[in-house]
Amino acid sequence: MDANEFRRQAYLMVDWMADYLETIENLPVKSQVEPHEIYNQLPSSPPESSESMETIFEDFKNIILPGITHWQSPNFFAYFPANNSYPSILGEMLTAALGSQCMIWETSPAAAELEEVTMNWLKEMTGLPSHWEGVIQDSASSATLAAILSARERASEFNINEQGFTSKEKFRIYCSTETHSSIDKAVKIAGLGRTNLKKIGVDKNFAMNPEALEQVIVQDMANGFNPMCVIATLGTTSSTAIDPVEKIAAICNKYNIWLHIDGAYAGTALILPEFRWMIKGIEKADSFVFNPHKWMFTNFDCSAYFVKDKEPLLRTFEILPEYLRTTTRGKVNDYRDWGVQLGRRFRALKLWFVIRNFGVEGLQEKIRLHIELANHFAKLVENHPEFEVLAPHPFSVVCFRYIPEGLNDPERINALNEMLLKSINKTGKAYITHTRLGGKYTLRMVIGQTNVTMQHVDAAWEMICDTAKGINI
Ligand SMILES: *Cc1c(COP(=O)(O)O)cnc(C)c1O
């Protein structure tokens, strides 16, 4: 392909992209393909000779697209959003064209400095302490792994990096029973042992019980364990519960424990001043992560990780082989030392585009709208005699279920809701997913796609009610 052909194809594809996003509502939200259906349509060996972009693009439309679940459909109400927006897509296109590899400042000075600036902007936008420092990670899972490894190194005086584990550490890590599975994964990877991750009970709103946390810590210390890290969550994945950060931070300070705050989805709500109460006491914490790639209209991947003190992070990850030595070291941020990855994408560009093109007010407006739509949906559920809301809904997620009159058996209610979920997603008109809260099979309505409006929410609700009526108990 030469530049002229690239130009021609790129114009065609941009037109396709705009059409796709404009008419996305006509497509079934959740891909309806069966396992292996896509695989079986693809040749088992690569082509020997060049194929035209026309042929390739036709296959993209005919084979790949039916196997796509449309995350950017305003009828996508599943999981947490991974939303994008026009400015973000444009940023990603330029990133692809530049093809920069941003491992150190020297390999892309503008990427490093734009990353520093956009992280400072996010810090100001979310009300984080001004002396904290931020870095873009690929995912919240990686950020949390960085936090747990930093905590491990600080607690072992950086000895595990050097000598490996001895039998003496006996570290313990704490989170609530509602915490995201990425904490379990990070504890496994960090070599701490999953049995040393203690899950603390929650209150009726599914938030961590700080008194129970302190009790377990004290008990562990009496038994010779070394409490090393606590993970608090703003917006748990099942029900968006908010752990009491201020109380947990006080406990962590009292026992000299690293406090990491996971706000992967709900951290975006901090852009609204009315949510800042959630991080009261954060100056006592050590690290915080949230994902602009979830609810801030920025293409996956873009996860913002902030630390109070960058020294433990850098000491944990630093490496300096001869081939990466530079004369600017120490004067600039070499982000390869700020996490697991050496090679890094230029992720700050799309974030910069998003923040500038929306403006802080534009972002606030969208997030507020999503929260209002969730409140509206919750009212519809509450006002229906055969549905109920199952958890508080501080953000844009409503947990609910169907209980038809006269049905009392908990297992049958669970089975019925599982059937209802399947039927809803089969319609292709909306996509929602589930969780379990206190043993109850729970439907989660997540309202966070960039272009979702009241009409989409109302239409989804009508469809849910109709589908429920059609289900045989
Ligand atoms: C989604 C989520 C994560 C994981 O995010 P990734 O960026 O996909 O790793 C972690 N914690 C919480 C609370 C989440 O909701």
PDB file of all heavy atoms in Angstrom, residues 375-408:
ATOM      1  N   ASN A 375     -31.417   7.518  38.291  1.00  0.00           N
ATOM      2  CA  ASN A 375     -32.461   7.810  39.284  1.00  0.00           C
ATOM      3  C   ASN A 375     -33.849   7.620  38.674  1.00  0.00           C
ATOM      4  O   ASN A 375     -34.756   7.078  39.311  1.00  0.00           O
ATOM      5  CB  ASN A 375     -32.322   9.245  39.811  1.00  0.00           C
ATOM      6  CG  ASN A 375     -31.126   9.379  40.744  1.00  0.00           C
ATOM      7  OD1 ASN A 375     -30.706   8.401  41.368  1.00  0.00           O
ATOM      8  ND2 ASN A 375     -30.572  10.566  40.831  1.00  0.00           N
ATOM      9  N   HIS A 376     -33.981   8.066  37.448  1.00  0.00           N
ATOM     10  CA  HIS A 376     -35.248   7.913  36.730  1.00  0.00           C
ATOM     11  C   HIS A 376     -35.593   6.430  36.568  1.00  0.00           C
ATOM     12  O   HIS A 376     -36.723   6.008  36.846  1.00  0.00           O
ATOM     13  CB  HIS A 376     -35.118   8.609  35.371  1.00  0.00           C
ATOM     14  CG  HIS A 376     -36.195   8.287  34.391  1.00  0.00           C
ATOM     15  ND1 HIS A 376     -37.474   8.788  34.511  1.00  0.00           N
ATOM     16  CD2 HIS A 376     -36.197   7.505  33.280  1.00  0.00           C
ATOM     17  CE1 HIS A 376     -38.214   8.324  33.502  1.00  0.00           C
ATOM     18  NE2 HIS A 376     -37.464   7.554  32.743  1.00  0.00           N
ATOM     19  N   PHE A 377     -34.602   5.642  36.168  1.00  0.00           N
ATOM     20  CA  PHE A 377     -34.834   4.205  35.981  1.00  0.00           C
ATOM     21  C   PHE A 377     -35.218   3.547  37.314  1.00  0.00           C
ATOM     22  O   PHE A 377     -36.142   2.727  37.371  1.00  0.00           O
ATOM     23  CB  PHE A 377     -33.586   3.532  35.390  1.00  0.00           C
ATOM     24  CG  PHE A 377     -33.768   2.069  35.115  1.00  0.00           C
ATOM     25  CD1 PHE A 377     -34.367   1.636  33.950  1.00  0.00           C
ATOM     26  CD2 PHE A 377     -33.350   1.111  36.034  1.00  0.00           C
ATOM     27  CE1 PHE A 377     -34.561   0.282  33.691  1.00  0.00           C
ATOM     28  CE2 PHE A 377     -33.534  -0.248  35.799  1.00  0.00           C
ATOM     29  CZ  PHE A 377     -34.143  -0.658  34.619  1.00  0.00           C
ATOM     30  N   ALA A 378     -34.516   3.942  38.381  1.00  0.00           N
ATOM     31  CA  ALA A 378     -34.799   3.348  39.697  1.00  0.00           C
ATOM     32  C   ALA A 378     -36.246   3.636  40.107  1.00  0.00           C
ATOM     33  O   ALA A 378     -36.924   2.777  40.689  1.00  0.00           O
ATOM     34  CB  ALA A 378     -33.826   3.891  40.735  1.00  0.00           C
ATOM     35  N   LYS A 379     -36.731   4.845  39.785  1.00  0.00           N
ATOM     36  CA  LYS A 379     -38.134   5.184  40.113  1.00  0.00           C
ATOM     37  C   LYS A 379     -39.100   4.295  39.340  1.00  0.00           C
ATOM     38  O   LYS A 379     -40.099   3.830  39.891  1.00  0.00           O
ATOM     39  CB  LYS A 379     -38.402   6.660  39.773  1.00  0.00           C
ATOM     40  CG  LYS A 379     -37.914   7.575  40.860  1.00  0.00           C
ATOM     41  CD  LYS A 379     -38.755   8.858  40.948  1.00  0.00           C
ATOM     42  CE  LYS A 379     -38.057   9.820  41.884  1.00  0.00           C
ATOM     43  NZ  LYS A 379     -36.975  10.560  41.177  1.00  0.00           N
ATOM     44  N   LEU A 380     -38.784   4.058  38.063  1.00  0.00           N
ATOM     45  CA  LEU A 380     -39.648   3.186  37.265  1.00  0.00           C
ATOM     46  C   LEU A 380     -39.727   1.802  37.907  1.00  0.00           C
ATOM     47  O   LEU A 380     -40.796   1.203  38.005  1.00  0.00           O
ATOM     48  CB  LEU A 380     -39.110   3.066  35.833  1.00  0.00           C
ATOM     49  CG  LEU A 380     -39.131   4.333  34.977  1.00  0.00           C
ATOM     50  CD1 LEU A 380     -38.397   4.096  33.649  1.00  0.00           C
ATOM     51  CD2 LEU A 380     -40.569   4.778  34.719  1.00  0.00           C
ATOM     52  N   VAL A 381     -38.580   1.314  38.363  1.00  0.00           N
ATOM     53  CA  VAL A 381     -38.533  -0.009  38.990  1.00  0.00           C
ATOM     54  C   VAL A 381     -39.346  -0.008  40.283  1.00  0.00           C
ATOM     55  O   VAL A 381     -40.181  -0.879  40.528  1.00  0.00           O
ATOM     56  CB  VAL A 381     -37.072  -0.426  39.277  1.00  0.00           C
ATOM     57  CG1 VAL A 381     -37.022  -1.726  40.065  1.00  0.00           C
ATOM     58  CG2 VAL A 381     -36.273  -0.554  37.971  1.00  0.00           C
ATOM     59  N   GLU A 382     -39.091   1.022  41.108  1.00  0.00           N
ATOM     60  CA  GLU A 382     -39.769   1.097  42.413  1.00  0.00           C
ATOM     61  C   GLU A 382     -41.284   1.211  42.258  1.00  0.00           C
ATOM     62  O   GLU A 382     -42.037   0.680  43.078  1.00  0.00           O
ATOM     63  CB  GLU A 382     -39.257   2.311  43.199  1.00  0.00           C
ATOM     64  CG  GLU A 382     -38.005   2.001  43.996  1.00  0.00           C
ATOM     65  CD  GLU A 382     -37.237   3.263  44.383  1.00  0.00           C
ATOM     66  OE1 GLU A 382     -37.761   4.374  44.153  1.00  0.00           O
ATOM     67  OE2 GLU A 382     -36.118   3.115  44.897  1.00  0.00           O
ATOM     68  N   ASN A 383     -41.713   1.921  41.227  1.00  0.00           N
ATOM     69  CA  ASN A 383     -43.155   2.139  41.049  1.00  0.00           C
ATOM     70  C   ASN A 383     -43.869   0.946  40.428  1.00  0.00           C
ATOM     71  O   ASN A 383     -45.085   0.953  40.305  1.00  0.00           O
ATOM     72  CB  ASN A 383     -43.401   3.380  40.180  1.00  0.00           C
ATOM     73  CG  ASN A 383     -43.007   4.647  40.914  1.00  0.00           C
ATOM     74  OD1 ASN A 383     -42.936   4.647  42.152  1.00  0.00           O
ATOM     75  ND2 ASN A 383     -42.731   5.716  40.180  1.00  0.00           N
ATOM     76  N   HIS A 384     -43.098  -0.052  40.014  1.00  0.00           N
ATOM     77  CA  HIS A 384     -43.713  -1.237  39.426  1.00  0.00           C
ATOM     78  C   HIS A 384     -43.948  -2.272  40.527  1.00  0.00           C
ATOM     79  O   HIS A 384     -43.021  -2.585  41.275  1.00  0.00           O
ATOM     80  CB  HIS A 384     -42.786  -1.806  38.340  1.00  0.00           C
ATOM     81  CG  HIS A 384     -43.457  -2.798  37.449  1.00  0.00           C
ATOM     82  ND1 HIS A 384     -43.905  -4.018  37.912  1.00  0.00           N
ATOM     83  CD2 HIS A 384     -43.767  -2.756  36.130  1.00  0.00           C
ATOM     84  CE1 HIS A 384     -44.456  -4.682  36.918  1.00  0.00           C
ATOM     85  NE2 HIS A 384     -44.398  -3.935  35.816  1.00  0.00           N
ATOM     86  N   PRO A 385     -45.171  -2.793  40.637  1.00  0.00           N
ATOM     87  CA  PRO A 385     -45.460  -3.715  41.751  1.00  0.00           C
ATOM     88  C   PRO A 385     -44.659  -5.014  41.679  1.00  0.00           C
ATOM     89  O   PRO A 385     -44.516  -5.697  42.697  1.00  0.00           O
ATOM     90  CB  PRO A 385     -46.962  -3.987  41.615  1.00  0.00           C
ATOM     91  CG  PRO A 385     -47.311  -3.618  40.199  1.00  0.00           C
ATOM     92  CD  PRO A 385     -46.345  -2.537  39.798  1.00  0.00           C
ATOM     93  N   GLU A 386     -44.157  -5.390  40.503  1.00  0.00           N
ATOM     94  CA  GLU A 386     -43.492  -6.691  40.413  1.00  0.00           C
ATOM     95  C   GLU A 386     -41.974  -6.587  40.184  1.00  0.00           C
ATOM     96  O   GLU A 386     -41.345  -7.555  39.744  1.00  0.00           O
ATOM     97  CB  GLU A 386     -44.144  -7.525  39.299  1.00  0.00           C
ATOM     98  CG  GLU A 386     -45.595  -7.872  39.650  1.00  0.00           C
ATOM     99  CD  GLU A 386     -46.201  -8.867  38.678  1.00  0.00           C
ATOM    100  OE1 GLU A 386     -46.148  -8.632  37.463  1.00  0.00           O
ATOM    101  OE2 GLU A 386     -46.724  -9.887  39.167  1.00  0.00           O
ATOM    102  N   PHE A 387     -41.414  -5.427  40.449  1.00  0.00           N
ATOM    103  CA  PHE A 387     -39.951  -5.282  40.384  1.00  0.00           C
ATOM    104  C   PHE A 387     -39.479  -4.623  41.678  1.00  0.00           C
ATOM    105  O   PHE A 387     -40.240  -3.898  42.323  1.00  0.00           O
ATOM    106  CB  PHE A 387     -39.548  -4.399  39.200  1.00  0.00           C
ATOM    107  CG  PHE A 387     -39.541  -5.116  37.870  1.00  0.00           C
ATOM    108  CD1 PHE A 387     -40.692  -5.166  37.095  1.00  0.00           C
ATOM    109  CD2 PHE A 387     -38.393  -5.734  37.407  1.00  0.00           C
ATOM    110  CE1 PHE A 387     -40.702  -5.820  35.870  1.00  0.00           C
ATOM    111  CE2 PHE A 387     -38.394  -6.391  36.176  1.00  0.00           C
ATOM    112  CZ  PHE A 387     -39.542  -6.435  35.402  1.00  0.00           C
ATOM    113  N   GLU A 388     -38.223  -4.861  42.036  1.00  0.00           N
ATOM    114  CA  GLU A 388     -37.676  -4.143  43.195  1.00  0.00           C
ATOM    115  C   GLU A 388     -36.215  -3.745  42.966  1.00  0.00           C
ATOM    116  O   GLU A 388     -35.475  -4.420  42.243  1.00  0.00           O
ATOM    117  CB  GLU A 388     -37.799  -4.987  44.473  1.00  0.00           C
ATOM    118  CG  GLU A 388     -36.957  -6.253  44.465  1.00  0.00           C
ATOM    119  CD  GLU A 388     -36.993  -7.008  45.786  1.00  0.00           C
ATOM    120  OE1 GLU A 388     -37.522  -6.472  46.782  1.00  0.00           O
ATOM    121  OE2 GLU A 388     -36.458  -8.137  45.828  1.00  0.00           O
ATOM    122  N   VAL A 389     -35.841  -2.617  43.593  1.00  0.00           N
ATOM    123  CA  VAL A 389     -34.447  -2.154  43.580  1.00  0.00           C
ATOM    124  C   VAL A 389     -33.730  -2.857  44.718  1.00  0.00           C
ATOM    125  O   VAL A 389     -34.269  -2.975  45.816  1.00  0.00           O
ATOM    126  CB  VAL A 389     -34.395  -0.610  43.747  1.00  0.00           C
ATOM    127  CG1 VAL A 389     -32.966  -0.136  43.948  1.00  0.00           C
ATOM    128  CG2 VAL A 389     -35.014   0.074  42.536  1.00  0.00           C
ATOM    129  N   LEU A 390     -32.495  -3.328  44.483  1.00  0.00           N
ATOM    130  CA  LEU A 390     -31.826  -4.170  45.486  1.00  0.00           C
ATOM    131  C   LEU A 390     -30.659  -3.503  46.203  1.00  0.00           C
ATOM    132  O   LEU A 390     -30.075  -4.099  47.111  1.00  0.00           O
ATOM    133  CB  LEU A 390     -31.334  -5.460  44.817  1.00  0.00           C
ATOM    134  CG  LEU A 390     -32.438  -6.425  44.362  1.00  0.00           C
ATOM    135  CD1 LEU A 390     -31.849  -7.593  43.598  1.00  0.00           C
ATOM    136  CD2 LEU A 390     -33.259  -6.914  45.543  1.00  0.00           C
ATOM    137  N   ALA A 391     -30.289  -2.297  45.793  1.00  0.00           N
ATOM    138  CA  ALA A 391     -29.149  -1.642  46.454  1.00  0.00           C
ATOM    139  C   ALA A 391     -29.248  -0.141  46.211  1.00  0.00           C
ATOM    140  O   ALA A 391     -29.905   0.288  45.260  1.00  0.00           O
ATOM    141  CB  ALA A 391     -27.832  -2.176  45.894  1.00  0.00           C
ATOM    142  N   PRO A 392     -28.589   0.659  47.074  1.00  0.00           N
ATOM    143  CA  PRO A 392     -28.544   2.097  46.786  1.00  0.00           C
ATOM    144  C   PRO A 392     -27.886   2.331  45.424  1.00  0.00           C
ATOM    145  O   PRO A 392     -27.083   1.512  44.981  1.00  0.00           O
ATOM    146  CB  PRO A 392     -27.656   2.655  47.910  1.00  0.00           C
ATOM    147  CG  PRO A 392     -27.630   1.606  48.963  1.00  0.00           C
ATOM    148  CD  PRO A 392     -27.828   0.301  48.277  1.00  0.00           C
ATOM    149  N   HIS A 393     -28.235   3.440  44.772  1.00  0.00           N
ATOM    150  CA  HIS A 393     -27.682   3.707  43.432  1.00  0.00           C
ATOM    151  C   HIS A 393     -27.106   5.120  43.379  1.00  0.00           C
ATOM    152  O   HIS A 393     -27.679   6.029  42.792  1.00  0.00           O
ATOM    153  CB  HIS A 393     -28.741   3.495  42.353  1.00  0.00           C
ATOM    154  CG  HIS A 393     -30.064   4.119  42.673  1.00  0.00           C
ATOM    155  ND1 HIS A 393     -30.381   5.389  42.273  1.00  0.00           N
ATOM    156  CD2 HIS A 393     -31.122   3.676  43.386  1.00  0.00           C
ATOM    157  CE1 HIS A 393     -31.590   5.684  42.723  1.00  0.00           C
ATOM    158  NE2 HIS A 393     -32.054   4.672  43.397  1.00  0.00           N
ATOM    159  N   PRO A 394     -25.945   5.308  44.031  1.00  0.00           N
ATOM    160  CA  PRO A 394     -25.355   6.654  44.095  1.00  0.00           C
ATOM    161  C   PRO A 394     -24.862   7.175  42.752  1.00  0.00           C
ATOM    162  O   PRO A 394     -24.739   8.372  42.565  1.00  0.00           O
ATOM    163  CB  PRO A 394     -24.183   6.478  45.064  1.00  0.00           C
ATOM    164  CG  PRO A 394     -23.861   5.027  45.035  1.00  0.00           C
ATOM    165  CD  PRO A 394     -25.147   4.324  44.780  1.00  0.00           C
ATOM    166  N   PHE A 395     -24.576   6.277  41.787  1.00  0.00           N
ATOM    167  CA  PHE A 395     -23.996   6.708  40.506  1.00  0.00           C
ATOM    168  C   PHE A 395     -24.986   6.400  39.381  1.00  0.00           C
ATOM    169  O   PHE A 395     -26.130   6.799  39.460  1.00  0.00           O
ATOM    170  CB  PHE A 395     -22.642   6.034  40.288  1.00  0.00           C
ATOM    171  CG  PHE A 395     -21.697   6.198  41.447  1.00  0.00           C
ATOM    172  CD1 PHE A 395     -21.406   5.132  42.294  1.00  0.00           C
ATOM    173  CD2 PHE A 395     -21.126   7.438  41.724  1.00  0.00           C
ATOM    174  CE1 PHE A 395     -20.553   5.290  43.377  1.00  0.00           C
ATOM    175  CE2 PHE A 395     -20.267   7.607  42.802  1.00  0.00           C
ATOM    176  CZ  PHE A 395     -19.984   6.523  43.624  1.00  0.00           C
ATOM    177  N   SER A 396     -24.536   5.672  38.369  1.00  0.00           N
ATOM    178  CA  SER A 396     -25.405   5.437  37.223  1.00  0.00           C
ATOM    179  C   SER A 396     -25.717   3.949  37.033  1.00  0.00           C
ATOM    180  O   SER A 396     -25.949   3.505  35.928  1.00  0.00           O
ATOM    181  CB  SER A 396     -24.778   6.030  35.960  1.00  0.00           C
ATOM    182  OG  SER A 396     -23.574   5.372  35.656  1.00  0.00           O
ATOM    183  N   VAL A 397     -25.700   3.194  38.125  1.00  0.00           N
ATOM    184  CA  VAL A 397     -25.987   1.762  38.071  1.00  0.00           C
ATOM    185  C   VAL A 397     -27.164   1.454  38.998  1.00  0.00           C
ATOM    186  O   VAL A 397     -27.156   1.873  40.159  1.00  0.00           O
ATOM    187  CB  VAL A 397     -24.762   0.935  38.527  1.00  0.00           C
ATOM    188  CG1 VAL A 397     -25.094  -0.555  38.533  1.00  0.00           C
ATOM    189  CG2 VAL A 397     -23.563   1.221  37.637  1.00  0.00           C
ATOM    190  N   VAL A 398     -28.148   0.732  38.473  1.00  0.00           N
ATOM    191  CA  VAL A 398     -29.287   0.327  39.299  1.00  0.00           C
ATOM    192  C   VAL A 398     -29.350  -1.193  39.344  1.00  0.00           C
ATOM    193  O   VAL A 398     -29.422  -1.859  38.307  1.00  0.00           O
ATOM    194  CB  VAL A 398     -30.617   0.890  38.739  1.00  0.00           C
ATOM    195  CG1 VAL A 398     -31.781   0.479  39.632  1.00  0.00           C
ATOM    196  CG2 VAL A 398     -30.544   2.413  38.613  1.00  0.00           C
ATOM    197  N   CYS A 399     -29.311  -1.747  40.563  1.00  0.00           N
ATOM    198  CA  CYS A 399     -29.440  -3.187  40.761  1.00  0.00           C
ATOM    199  C   CYS A 399     -30.900  -3.486  41.066  1.00  0.00           C
ATOM    200  O   CYS A 399     -31.482  -2.871  41.960  1.00  0.00           O
ATOM    201  CB  CYS A 399     -28.563  -3.635  41.933  1.00  0.00           C
ATOM    202  SG  CYS A 399     -26.815  -3.509  41.571  1.00  0.00           S
ATOM    203  N   PHE A 400     -31.477  -4.412  40.332  1.00  0.00           N
ATOM    204  CA  PHE A 400     -32.908  -4.665  40.513  1.00  0.00           C
ATOM    205  C   PHE A 400     -33.240  -6.108  40.160  1.00  0.00           C
ATOM    206  O   PHE A 400     -32.385  -6.857  39.660  1.00  0.00           O
ATOM    207  CB  PHE A 400     -33.727  -3.696  39.641  1.00  0.00           C
ATOM    208  CG  PHE A 400     -33.627  -3.951  38.153  1.00  0.00           C
ATOM    209  CD1 PHE A 400     -34.683  -4.522  37.460  1.00  0.00           C
ATOM    210  CD2 PHE A 400     -32.468  -3.622  37.439  1.00  0.00           C
ATOM    211  CE1 PHE A 400     -34.604  -4.760  36.083  1.00  0.00           C
ATOM    212  CE2 PHE A 400     -32.381  -3.853  36.076  1.00  0.00           C
ATOM    213  CZ  PHE A 400     -33.449  -4.429  35.399  1.00  0.00           C
ATOM    214  N   ARG A 401     -34.472  -6.499  40.423  1.00  0.00           N
ATOM    215  CA  ARG A 401     -34.919  -7.833  39.986  1.00  0.00           C
ATOM    216  C   ARG A 401     -36.431  -7.865  39.859  1.00  0.00           C
ATOM    217  O   ARG A 401     -37.137  -6.974  40.322  1.00  0.00           O
ATOM    218  CB  ARG A 401     -34.434  -8.920  40.937  1.00  0.00           C
ATOM    219  CG  ARG A 401     -35.100  -8.898  42.281  1.00  0.00           C
ATOM    220  CD  ARG A 401     -34.726 -10.141  43.075  1.00  0.00           C
ATOM    221  NE  ARG A 401     -35.348 -10.083  44.391  1.00  0.00           N
ATOM    222  CZ  ARG A 401     -35.361 -11.084  45.238  1.00  0.00           C
ATOM    223  NH1 ARG A 401     -34.766 -12.230  44.942  1.00  0.00           N
ATOM    224  NH2 ARG A 401     -35.956 -10.961  46.412  1.00  0.00           N
ATOM    225  N   TYR A 402     -36.859  -8.930  39.252  1.00  0.00           N
ATOM    226  CA  TYR A 402     -38.277  -9.177  38.988  1.00  0.00           C
ATOM    227  C   TYR A 402     -38.785 -10.138  40.052  1.00  0.00           C
ATOM    228  O   TYR A 402     -38.147 -11.169  40.300  1.00  0.00           O
ATOM    229  CB  TYR A 402     -38.371  -9.803  37.585  1.00  0.00           C
ATOM    230  CG  TYR A 402     -39.739 -10.185  37.092  1.00  0.00           C
ATOM    231  CD1 TYR A 402     -40.834  -9.340  37.258  1.00  0.00           C
ATOM    232  CD2 TYR A 402     -39.923 -11.396  36.417  1.00  0.00           C
ATOM    233  CE1 TYR A 402     -42.082  -9.702  36.774  1.00  0.00           C
ATOM    234  CE2 TYR A 402     -41.174 -11.758  35.920  1.00  0.00           C
ATOM    235  CZ  TYR A 402     -42.252 -10.912  36.112  1.00  0.00           C
ATOM    236  OH  TYR A 402     -43.474 -11.266  35.625  1.00  0.00           O
ATOM    237  N   ILE A 403     -39.918  -9.785  40.723  1.00  0.00           N
ATOM    238  CA  ILE A 403     -40.571 -10.778  41.597  1.00  0.00           C
ATOM    239  C   ILE A 403     -42.065 -10.755  41.330  1.00  0.00           C
ATOM    240  O   ILE A 403     -42.786  -9.950  41.907  1.00  0.00           O
ATOM    241  CB  ILE A 403     -40.358 -10.554  43.115  1.00  0.00           C
ATOM    242  CG1 ILE A 403     -39.919  -9.116  43.418  1.00  0.00           C
ATOM    243  CG2 ILE A 403     -39.456 -11.564  43.755  1.00  0.00           C
ATOM    244  CD1 ILE A 403     -39.920  -8.832  44.910  1.00  0.00           C
ATOM    245  N   PRO A 404     -42.518 -11.641  40.445  1.00  0.00           N
ATOM    246  CA  PRO A 404     -43.944 -11.650  40.130  1.00  0.00           C
ATOM    247  C   PRO A 404     -44.758 -12.009  41.361  1.00  0.00           C
ATOM    248  O   PRO A 404     -44.284 -12.763  42.229  1.00  0.00           O
ATOM    249  CB  PRO A 404     -44.063 -12.732  39.051  1.00  0.00           C
ATOM    250  CG  PRO A 404     -42.829 -13.526  39.128  1.00  0.00           C
ATOM    251  CD  PRO A 404     -41.776 -12.695  39.766  1.00  0.00           C
ATOM    252  N   GLU A 405     -45.945 -11.459  41.420  1.00  0.00           N
ATOM    253  CA  GLU A 405     -46.832 -11.681  42.559  1.00  0.00           C
ATOM    254  C   GLU A 405     -47.019 -13.162  42.824  1.00  0.00           C
ATOM    255  O   GLU A 405     -47.175 -13.956  41.897  1.00  0.00           O
ATOM    256  CB  GLU A 405     -48.183 -11.049  42.245  1.00  0.00           C
ATOM    257  CG  GLU A 405     -48.507  -9.914  43.197  1.00  0.00           C
ATOM    258  CD  GLU A 405     -49.936  -9.475  43.016  1.00  0.00           C
ATOM    259  OE1 GLU A 405     -50.137  -8.594  42.163  1.00  0.00           O
ATOM    260  OE2 GLU A 405     -50.802 -10.032  43.696  1.00  0.00           O
ATOM    261  N   GLY A 406     -46.974 -13.508  44.081  1.00  0.00           N
ATOM    262  CA  GLY A 406     -47.260 -14.888  44.464  1.00  0.00           C
ATOM    263  C   GLY A 406     -46.054 -15.801  44.432  1.00  0.00           C
ATOM    264  O   GLY A 406     -46.129 -16.953  44.844  1.00  0.00           O
ATOM    265  N   LEU A 407     -44.923 -15.312  43.949  1.00  0.00           N
ATOM    266  CA  LEU A 407     -43.733 -16.162  43.903  1.00  0.00           C
ATOM    267  C   LEU A 407     -42.853 -15.851  45.124  1.00  0.00           C
ATOM    268  O   LEU A 407     -42.406 -14.721  45.298  1.00  0.00           O
ATOM    269  CB  LEU A 407     -42.956 -15.920  42.606  1.00  0.00           C
ATOM    270  CG  LEU A 407     -41.848 -16.920  42.300  1.00  0.00           C
ATOM    271  CD1 LEU A 407     -42.391 -18.336  42.166  1.00  0.00           C
ATOM    272  CD2 LEU A 407     -41.113 -16.541  41.019  1.00  0.00           C
ATOM    273  N   ASN A 408     -42.643 -16.856  45.982  1.00  0.00           N
ATOM    274  CA  ASN A 408     -41.900 -16.617  47.226  1.00  0.00           C
ATOM    275  C   ASN A 408     -40.614 -17.409  47.329  1.00  0.00           C
ATOM    276  O   ASN A 408     -39.729 -17.049  48.083  1.00  0.00           O
ATOM    277  CB  ASN A 408     -42.781 -16.959  48.436  1.00  0.00           C
ATOM    278  CG  ASN A 408     -43.999 -16.059  48.486  1.00  0.00           C
ATOM    279  OD1 ASN A 408     -43.877 -14.852  48.324  1.00  0.00           O
ATOM    280  ND2 ASN A 408     -45.167 -16.650  48.662  1.00  0.00           N
TER     281      ASN A 408
END
